[in-house]
Amino acid sequence: MRRQNISTGTMWEPIIGYSRAVRVGDTVHVSGTTATGADGKLVGVGDAHAQTVQTLRNIEFALQQAGARLEDVVRTRMFVANIAEWEKVGRAHGEFFGKIRPATAMVQVAALVSPEMLVEIEAEAIVLSSTT
């Protein structure tokens, strides 16, 4: 099977040694993703819902680069800085995955890379149909 590394071109990828996503066969793994905008700045500072929406848009873009869609996602993992914000994060997740309903987990972590980051999400997808 062929391995395809997907890069978003951030300065952190070569330093840390990771890819935004990796596709092997029909499986796509998306790395922990945050609410970074195209300009490299954090979107939605102080707003867990807005950060989750941007994070999921970033995941959707990575999936598309790997030839997958949100509908192919079978698992997500949500890491939140404050579990008291779970409803905001969960509502945004539901806006993207309400009909898809992947397996998921949401856990509070001690900290993310930046104190302004409120959420980080990983995703796994299995491509069952061709995408266009």
Side-chain angles (χ1 to χ4, degrees), residues 51-123:
Q51 284 195 25
T52 304
V53 168
Q54 181 63 43
T55 297
L56 291 169
R57 286 180 182 150
N58 292 345
I59 287 171
E60 183 175 28
F61 181 72
L63 289 167
Q64 289 170 349
Q65 288 185 299
R69 305 170 299 149
L70 285 176
E71 291 81 4
D72 298 318
V73 173
V74 297
R75 181 160 189 57
T76 60
R77 291 178 189 86
M78 296 174 273
F79 305 96
V80 297
N82 180 0
I83 200 67
E85 304 267 13
W86 74 267
E87 287 183 87
K88 295 174 185 176
V89 174
R91 187 173 78 249
H93 187 273
E95 290 167 11
F96 284 77
F97 291 111
K99 292 183 180 179
I100 302 164
R101 299 183 61 156
T104 194
M106 183 188 303
V107 297
Q108 179 173 314
V109 294
L112 296 170
V113 171
S114 165
E116 293 181 322
M117 291 178 177
L118 304 175
V119 63
E120 181 171 322
I121 301 175
E122 297 176 348

Side-chain angles (χ1 to χ4, degrees), residues 21-38:
V22 176
R23 179 173 179 162
V24 177
D26 292 337
T27 303
V28 181
H29 298 274
V30 182
S31 292
T33 302
T34 59
T36 306

